[in-house]
Amino acid sequence: MTESQKKEKEKEKNDDLFQSALIPFRKAADLLGVHEELMNILLEPKRMIIVSIPVTMDDCTTKVFRGYRVQYNDMLGPTKGGIRYHPDVNIGEVKALAFWMTWKCIIADIPYGGAKGGISVNPKELSKAELERLSRAYVQALAPFIGPNRDIPAPDVYTNPEVMAWMTDEYQKIVGQPVFGAFTGKPVVFGGSKGRDIATALGGFYITEKAVDVFGITEKTAAIQGFGNAGMTMAHLLHEAGYSVVAVSDSKGGIYQKDGIDIPKLIEHKKKTGSVAGFPGTKKITSREVLEQDAAILVPAALENQITEENADRVKAKLVVELANGPTTPEASEILFKKGIHVLPDILANSGGVTVSYFEWVQNQMGYYWSEEEVREKLKEKMLSAFDNVNNAANLFKTDMRTGAYIHALQKLIEVLKYKGFTATCTIPGKMEQKWFLNSHGK
Ligand code: GLU
């Protein structure tokens, strides 16, 4: 076994992220009184696929990459979720991300289950041709398990419309049909939806405006960690809405300017230099320091585990909008809640991305495409109604919005399962009538 194969094996044991993802979920299930037997089903992914992907590199050597796809739950429809290219990708992470997708899709009120995929790779070290071969090989390995009515991948960290185009093209070659709904997040000219590129941030922005109103936040300052697709678009939207964005960061570092950063100019700078770092007229800070700046709205839009037990106490924001998946640990969530900081949890805040993915899939099935205005209108309606559902559940159960989000999602899932008659095969007299989905404390 080579060193890198050993490292990959080590990563596969990592279950920490998934275990911590379960903490608020269990809390919600307890408050709701979800039956233990149903919990046992929901705590396990339906299918986990690990593939080895040999790729010929530009120098004619062959490298073997490891790819993952976890299809967590398909009780409500085909599974859905992005594909991540990152050196830290491992099965535990993909499992947690697939778990979050499951609840995100229910909260977004779209007819899907949850999945996630990834490849353990540093895409910055590969040429474009190598990335294309890797992406196509990933689809070859997973083709029997995906499809428009089975499992529909999309972009995630370090994947984009171009990667989706390669993957769609490869899938179409394999099945011998021009199937477009097998992937979402495609380029608009190749079966994509207008508005998909900005959807994650725009959805988050709609409910940020709503939350500001509902929670009575008057100060118009923001800090954003992460300047990829979601972070950059959010910075732009907030800037245009009159917010002063005082701090931002990306993987190379952070910047601060107390009077507000000129976001359009910063976007030009990032496009030119590849980073926000070194933007003239700003002070250099670390990416972690962005989280602690004096700004009313904090948007973590990078990776997991950024707001932790260690720094949560120093968060000064009044509202945290989780555009990243899993940026706040369960311990940190408790601290923020006690401090009275409102958190729009990831499974609500970043659901705009998968919502417009759903619109894309619908358009693909119909072969008829909507205007950007239509997409925005439909997205806004869905986001605002998801916000209300989550906020109402949180208020009703006197808990934080993350727990409220899981409560709302669990209630909806149970409602469907009751119709599906999950216990139909049970023939013991009297047992059928039992309230199987909720336990004796069930509400
Ligand atoms: N990767 C995005 C997410 O985490 C989008 C998923 C999708 O569009 O299917 O929600």
Side-chain angles (χ1 to χ4, degrees):
M1 206 185 279
T2 66
E3 251 337 283
S4 77
Q5 279 168 331
K6 266 190 215 152
K7 244 198 242 154
E8 288 298 312
K9 276 245 164 315
E10 206 38 55
K11 278 200 277 177
E12 267 164 32
K13 292 190 203 129
N14 178 5
D15 212 32
D16 297 354
L17 190 67
F18 179 64
Q19 291 308 327
S20 82
L22 295 183
I23 295 173
F25 177 70
R26 283 203 171 98
K27 182 176 162 193
D30 276 348
L31 283 170
L32 199 58
V34 178
H35 199 291
E36 193 193 333
E37 287 173 28
L38 177 56
M39 280 303 277
N40 289 343
I41 299 173
L42 300 179
L43 293 174
E44 288 289 330
K46 175 179 169 123
R47 186 181 287 128
M48 299 206 280
I49 307 158
I50 302 181
V51 292
S52 122
I53 314 170
V55 176
T56 306
M57 308 306 280
D58 291 345
D59 64 2
C60 282
T61 59
T62 299
K63 258 200 190 149
V64 182
F65 296 89
R66 189 152 292 197
Y68 307 89
R69 187 78 184 163
V70 175
Q71 297 165 341
Y72 196 88
N73 185 302
D74 64 355
M75 285 170 170
L76 298 188
T79 51
K80 183 91 192 78
I83 298 169
R84 175 175 292 201
Y85 287 179
H86 195 277
D88 296 338
V89 163
N90 62 76
I91 192 69
E93 181 188 49
V94 178
K95 190 165 45 153
L97 289 160
F99 171 82
W100 285 322
M101 284 309 301
T102 303
W103 308 105
K104 192 188 295 182
C105 291
I106 303 183
I107 292 160
D109 195 23
I110 54 181
Y112 292 136
K116 198 81 172 200
I119 303 178
S120 172
V121 58
N122 184 351
K124 292 176 186 163
E125 286 170 2
L126 266 60
S127 72
K128 202 161 162 181
E130 289 168 338
L131 268 180
E132 178 178 340
R133 289 196 288 274
L134 175 66
S135 305
R136 289 181 181 275
Y138 178 83
V139 173
Q140 286 159 18
L142 284 166
F145 304 99
I146 60 175
N149 296 312
R150 194 170 280 150
D151 179 20
I152 308 135
D156 195 72
V157 174
Y158 293 142
T159 51
N160 56 24
E162 191 171 29
V163 173
M164 293 306 117
W166 295 330
M167 290 190 168
T168 305
D169 183 55
E170 192 61 32
Y171 186 76
Q172 294 188 346
K173 281 185 191 156
I174 293 168
V175 298
Q177 278 183 338
V179 184
F180 283 101
F183 293 84
T184 60
K186 303 178 292 293
V188 173
V189 291
F190 187 50
S193 173
K194 291 197 173 116
R196 175 63 186 88
D197 51 348
I198 57 162
T200 307
L202 187 59
F205 176 73
Y206 286 145
I207 56 168
T208 299
E209 281 194 311
K210 171 90 183 183
V212 160
D213 188 33
V214 171
F215 303 136
I217 298 164
T218 47
E219 201 193 314
K220 293 194 107 180
T221 48
I224 302 172
Q225 185 199 43
F227 215 67
N229 174 305
M232 187 196 292
T233 310
M234 188 65 162
H236 194 66
L237 289 166
L238 287 169
H239 180 79
E240 288 209 317
Y243 280 82
S244 171
V245 180
V246 295
V248 302
S249 67
D250 59 23
S251 61
K252 299 200 180 80
I255 55 172
Y256 174 81
Q257 164 55 259
K258 76 170 180 352
D259 300 323
I261 299 163
D262 185 336
I263 298 297
K265 284 221 174 90
L266 176 65
I267 292 174
E268 268 170 43
H269 174 85
K270 165 105 185 179
K271 283 188 178 145
K272 239 187 276 151
T273 66
S275 172
V276 297
F279 183 57
T282 60
K283 189 179 111 192
K284 183 177 164 190
I285 57 173
T286 66
S287 182
R288 287 274 173 161
E289 279 164 351
V290 170
L291 305 169
E292 301 169 19
Q293 297 310 313
D294 209 346
I297 296 172
L298 172 62
V299 185
L303 292 168
E304 302 95 46
N305 293 340
Q306 298 303 304
I307 307 176
T308 65
E309 210 170 2
E310 192 273 316
N311 61 5
D313 230 5
R314 297 196 294 276
V315 170
K316 297 185 191 74
K318 297 194 167 51
L319 176 69
V320 176
V321 183
E322 294 184 342
L323 285 191
N325 288 307
T328 314
T329 66
E331 298 78 21
S333 286
E334 292 291 329
I335 298 172
L336 298 182
F337 185 55
K338 283 195 188 114
K339 279 170 63 116
I341 298 173
H342 300 279
V343 176
L344 300 182
D346 47 6
I347 49 178
L348 166 68
N350 70 34
S351 66
V354 72
T355 298
V356 178
S357 271
Y358 163 59
F359 296 161
E360 178 174 335
W361 178 82
V362 169
Q363 293 170 79
N364 291 150
Q365 311 281 67
M366 298 193 291
Y368 179 76
Y369 291 83
W370 306 337
S371 68
E372 175 147 353
E373 212 182 7
E374 223 171 325
V375 170
R376 282 182 184 231
E377 224 170 81
K378 288 185 165 71
L379 173 65
K380 188 169 189 176
E381 196 187 311
K382 277 219 172 288
M383 292 305 302
L384 295 184
S385 122
F387 175 91
D388 283 341
N389 289 333
V390 168
N391 196 33
N392 290 345
N395 288 337
L396 198 67
F397 284 80
K398 298 188 173 44
T399 186
D400 60 292
M401 284 188 80
R402 193 184 317 280
T403 312
Y406 282 121
I407 289 177
H408 168 68
L410 276 164
Q411 280 175 322
K412 223 171 121 184
L413 180 72
I414 288 173
E415 203 184 327
V416 177
L417 293 182
K418 279 184 178 164
Y419 280 111
K420 281 203 191 182
F422 223 66
T423 51
T425 50
C426 166
T427 53
I428 302 170
K431 271 261 178 194
M432 289 281 285
E433 283 71 47
Q434 277 184 7
K435 240 170 115 195
W436 189 83
F437 300 106
L438 296 178
N439 59 30
S440 48
H441 317 291
K443 296 187 182 76

